[in-house]
Amino acid sequence: MSNLSLYDRQRIEFYLNFKRLSLRDIARLVSRNVSIISREIKRNKPQSISYNAELAQRAAERKARITNTKKLEKCQPIKKYVREKLIEDWSPEQIAGRLKTNPPPELRRTSIKTVCAETIYQHIYNQDDTEDRLYHHLRRNKPKRQKQGQRRGQNVFIPDRTSISERPKLIDQKKRHGDLETDLLLGKRQKEAVSVSYERKLMYAILQKLNSRKADAAKDALAKTIETFPPKFVRSFTYDNGPENFKHYELKRDYELETYFCDPYSAWQKGGVENLNGLIRQYLPKKIDMQTVTEERLKFIEERLNNRPRKSLNYLTPSEVMSNVLNENKYRVLL
């Protein structure tokens, strides 16, 4: 069993599609046998497109659900034991560990002697009967399982990542235009979001609607943001370490700009966009369903924010300052 995580699959995607490395080199970098890498690509790569980590992860999870469900169904004594211990509020890890290290005598002669915690989780969340809701016996009592690779504190592979500590001082000191910070603003639903971009020196905001939090959607939104400015105006983006920023290197390549990333759990290092998010919450509170937010509504909020006098701009508005810079062609001097 390969046990590849989303993190591993993101690395495979980057090394395979962007770096064009051989399978043997990829295996060495991911610390796996080359046969595992080859089998992963053969089994989980879509036929018509290049290898994609998110699609491969979903395919692997789908196949695991089928396999794991069948494994418990093949051995009723094991299934009965697992369900009894869940009702006693044992965790899947505790049940799997007990079966492996100290199984009850009546199970030692069964065809299947152990199951892993993942198999038990799959059984809990894929059972047909609705009367006995086993998830009630889990610590967090969630009716829907959080997707693998999206749990808090996970490793997220960001290819070609440059730390914010390497960001030039002139960006920190706001001595030039065209350096943006970016973030996602979420609502009640976790699927839709708003891409928020903030020009550090001019305090100018741009909002883009996202129908998905996937890396491709986030990248396309930022490309649209870049193209609202004159060519070569945008010089850099500063990101957090969310998985939606995985494809930053494509913007870096296509628009010839630099990308920088905050330290883990240090969103304050891009404080401009974090403060802007607080201002946006006046219009888009946390409980709002982002699916109901229209492009027209976002444009209205954007204009409200950009036409609000700011103390740091000597009480000019971001729109006025941006207009002055563009009309006087000052940005060309910086090229």
Side-chain angles (χ1 to χ4, degrees):
M1 185 175 179
S2 65
N3 289 328
L4 291 171
S5 65
L6 176 59
Y7 175 73
D8 295 324
R9 291 185 169 97
Q10 287 173 334
R11 297 176 72 190
I12 292 171
E13 178 184 353
F14 175 67
Y15 295 138
L16 183 68
N17 299 342
F18 185 70
K19 291 293 187 180
R20 306 291 182 184
L21 298 183
S22 67
L23 296 188
R24 192 168 298 280
D25 287 338
I26 294 173
R28 177 175 52 80
L29 291 168
V30 183
S31 300
R32 300 299 176 106
N33 190 288
V34 66
S35 63
I36 291 177
I37 305 301
S38 176
R39 188 162 56 246
E40 163 65 19
I41 296 170
K42 182 178 179 180
R43 288 179 177 177
N44 296 324
K45 175 186 172 297
Q47 292 184 356
S48 56
I49 61 175
S50 58
Y51 180 85
N52 180 282
E54 292 179 349
L55 295 179
Q57 181 72 16
R58 287 204 296 270
E61 290 174 358
R62 184 172 61 252
K63 293 169 184 176
R65 281 196 295 271
I66 297 171
T67 302
N68 291 339
T69 300
K70 287 181 178 180
K71 186 172 183 179
L72 267 182
E73 294 301 328
K74 286 178 180 178
C75 186
Q76 291 302 313
I78 288 283
K79 178 181 176 180
K80 181 174 180 289
Y81 177 83
V82 167
R83 294 174 70 90
E84 286 176 351
K85 295 307 176 185
L86 285 170
I87 292 171
E88 293 177 19
D89 297 334
W90 287 30
S91 72
E93 289 80 7
Q94 290 168 339
I95 298 171
R98 186 76 171 188
L99 282 171
K100 183 176 181 180
T101 60
N102 192 14
E106 64 270 19
L107 298 182
R108 292 176 182 173
R109 295 185 178 181
T110 57
S111 59
I112 299 174
K113 295 180 174 57
T114 63
V115 293
C116 66
E118 178 61 24
T119 299
I120 301 172
Y121 275 115
Q122 296 290 355
H123 176 69
I124 293 170
Y125 286 103
N126 291 281
Q127 54 182 322
D128 294 329
D129 55 311
T130 57
E131 295 181 1
D132 185 11
R133 301 180 186 276
L134 294 175
Y135 69 83
H136 285 305
H137 299 282
L138 298 178
R139 303 294 182 266
R140 299 190 182 277
N141 191 24
K142 290 185 177 181
K144 291 185 178 181
R145 191 180 182 193
Q146 195 171 12
K147 290 183 179 180
Q148 289 183 331
Q150 295 183 358
R151 297 185 178 114
R152 189 174 182 179
Q154 63 152 0
N155 285 326
V156 176
F157 174 63
I158 304 291
D160 200 19
R161 179 186 183 280
T162 302
S163 170
I164 195 171
S165 63
E166 299 179 38
R167 194 172 69 176
K169 294 297 182 184
L170 79 166
I171 298 180
D172 298 339
Q173 298 167 1
K174 302 181 182 180
K175 290 188 175 181
R176 72 179 188 187
H177 309 111
D179 297 304
L180 278 66
E181 298 173 353
T182 185
D183 198 8
L184 289 190
L185 194 73
L186 305 178
K188 179 175 64 175
R189 291 165 57 94
Q190 295 296 303
K191 181 180 178 181
E192 295 84 7
V194 173
S195 174
V196 181
S197 296
Y198 173 82
E199 205 283 342
R200 286 174 51 82
K201 181 167 183 168
L202 306 181
M203 307 182 77
Y204 194 84
I206 294 183
L207 311 182
Q208 306 282 2
K209 177 75 178 289
L210 293 182
N211 293 322
S212 165
R213 293 172 57 192
K214 295 180 180 178
D216 282 322
K219 179 204 68 175
D220 291 343
L222 291 183
K224 191 175 178 181
T225 294
I226 293 170
E227 291 169 3
T228 64
F229 294 102
K232 303 294 185 180
F233 180 88
V234 176
R235 290 172 168 266
S236 74
F237 273 108
T238 298
Y239 300 85
D240 60 26
N241 294 280
E244 68 276 0
N245 299 321
F246 174 77
K247 294 198 172 180
H248 74 100
Y249 59 87
E250 294 188 9
L251 294 177
K252 185 175 181 179
R253 176 196 63 204
D254 296 343
Y255 293 94
E256 298 180 348
L257 49 81
E258 295 302 318
T259 57
Y260 304 97
F261 286 82
C262 298
D263 297 327
Y265 311 107
S266 300
W268 56 268
Q269 292 176 332
K270 52 180 181 64
V273 73
E274 294 292 330
N275 179 66
L276 178 62
N277 285 345
L279 300 179
I280 296 171
R281 285 301 185 191
Q282 178 182 354
Y283 308 97
L284 301 177
K286 291 183 178 180
K287 292 184 179 180
I288 195 170
D289 185 344
M290 289 297 186
Q291 190 176 31
T292 66
V293 179
T294 63
E295 296 284 356
E296 291 75 16
R297 178 63 176 168
L298 290 182
K299 184 58 64 176
F300 168 80
I301 298 170
E302 183 181 298
E303 290 177 354
R304 278 294 179 95
L305 295 172
N306 288 331
N307 288 287
R308 180 183 297 178
R310 307 298 291 269
K311 183 178 180 179
S312 298
L313 299 177
N314 197 25
Y315 293 104
L316 293 173
T317 69
S319 289
E320 289 171 335
V321 178
M322 177 66 75
S323 179
N324 289 340
V325 169
L326 299 183
N327 289 339
E328 295 175 13
N329 293 327
K330 288 184 178 180
Y331 72 94
R332 292 181 181 173
V333 177
L334 301 175
L335 298 181

